[in-house]
Amino acid sequence: YIMEILNKDLRLLLEQGKKVKLHLGSGSSLKTGYYNLDIIRLQGVDIIADMNQPLDLIPDNSVSCVYTQHALEHIKNLQGLMQELSRICCSDAIITIVVPHFSNPYYYSDPTHIRPFGLYSMSYFVNEEDQLFKRKVPAYYTNTRFKLLDTRLFFYRTSLIDRILVPIIRFIVNLNNSTKEIYERRWPWLYPAWQIKYTLRVK
């Protein structure tokens, strides 16, 4: 495995100590305004990197914003990646993570998926006073800490019934943190969620 920064402009910005935005696990779905990172050399990818390994070519405190969508479920070394995000992100950087919810029935069909996610998954990287929910979990996986700003659940809208029900269900479930906990504890197998979105701030 060899990490490589393909984009010359990005290399120059990092050498100059400028802050950049990263899109992790971009694949071919490039994000405007972000430098795109993927393990495969695809058109438009700026950084070749395996997120299971240290992101050694990205300096400390050089990233102001991170976005990743449907990529972290493929990562074996999630604790190591969160450690790296804490290192490369500057203070108050915003990290947005979108991943399949554990009740998503399609999650289990993909043999490259390593782990599903739930409401509390990111709380294990957050001190208790910075966790959102009534149920607190230990922050024992790494010595890095984030502040969890928001966690939101989304639902498929693939049928007529979904298009009618989902706006109501999404509103009720995401009404507050208590309704999210009630949903996940009691109802996810009755009406499964599609994905979960976490917003964190680097401390």
Side-chain angles (χ1 to χ4, degrees), residues 73-131:
E73 64 270 26
H74 301 274
I75 301 302
K76 292 180 181 178
N77 186 17
L78 181 63
Q79 293 94 322
L81 176 59
M82 297 304 291
Q83 183 88 28
E84 281 295 273
L85 291 183
S86 178
R87 177 186 68 80
I88 67 176
C89 286
C90 61
S91 182
D92 292 329
I94 298 297
I95 300 175
T96 303
I97 297 170
V98 182
V99 285
H101 187 258
F102 68 76
S103 65
N104 183 337
Y106 302 129
Y107 166 84
Y108 302 95
S109 298
D110 190 332
T112 67
H113 285 175
I114 302 298
R115 74 184 74 243
F117 290 80
L119 279 181
Y120 308 104
S121 296
M122 287 299 132
S123 295
Y124 287 92
F125 302 100
V126 176
N127 286 331
E128 282 195 18
E129 64 269 21
D130 293 321
Q131 295 179 22

Side-chain angles (χ1 to χ4, degrees), residues 115-151:
R115 74 184 74 243
F117 290 80
L119 279 181
Y120 308 104
S121 296
M122 287 299 132
S123 295
Y124 287 92
F125 302 100
V126 176
N127 286 331
E128 282 195 18
E129 64 269 21
D130 293 321
Q131 295 179 22
L132 290 176
F133 301 104
K134 183 177 180 181
R135 177 179 181 259
K136 304 299 180 183
V137 299
Y140 52 63
Y141 281 139
T142 70
N143 59 5
T144 61
R145 294 294 177 262
F146 305 90
K147 182 177 178 63
L148 187 57
L149 302 180
D150 188 48
T151 302

Side-chain angles (χ1 to χ4, degrees), residues 7 10 20-24 26 30-37 44 46 63-68 94 96:
N7 188 307
L10 173 58
V20 300
K21 298 179 179 181
L22 293 184
H23 178 199
L24 303 182
S26 62
L30 307 179
K31 189 169 177 63
T32 304
Y34 287 69
Y35 289 100
N36 299 281
L37 180 152
D46 302 292
V63 177
S64 62
C65 196
V66 172
Y67 179 83
T68 178
I94 298 297
T96 303

Side-chain angles (χ1 to χ4, degrees), residues 124-184:
Y124 287 92
F125 302 100
V126 176
N127 286 331
E128 282 195 18
E129 64 269 21
D130 293 321
Q131 295 179 22
L132 290 176
F133 301 104
K134 183 177 180 181
R135 177 179 181 259
K136 304 299 180 183
V137 299
Y140 52 63
Y141 281 139
T142 70
N143 59 5
T144 61
R145 294 294 177 262
F146 305 90
K147 182 177 178 63
L148 187 57
L149 302 180
D150 188 48
T151 302
R152 194 157 295 269
L153 291 153
F154 295 85
F155 299 84
Y156 281 112
R157 299 182 68 179
T158 54
S159 68
L160 177 60
I161 293 176
D162 288 339
R163 287 193 288 272
I164 294 170
L165 293 180
V166 162
I168 300 169
I169 292 171
R170 186 175 57 200
F171 174 78
I172 294 172
V173 169
N174 291 305
L175 189 60
N176 56 54
N177 292 326
S178 294
T179 57
K180 296 170 195 174
E181 288 190 289
I182 291 169
Y183 164 78
E184 189 168 278

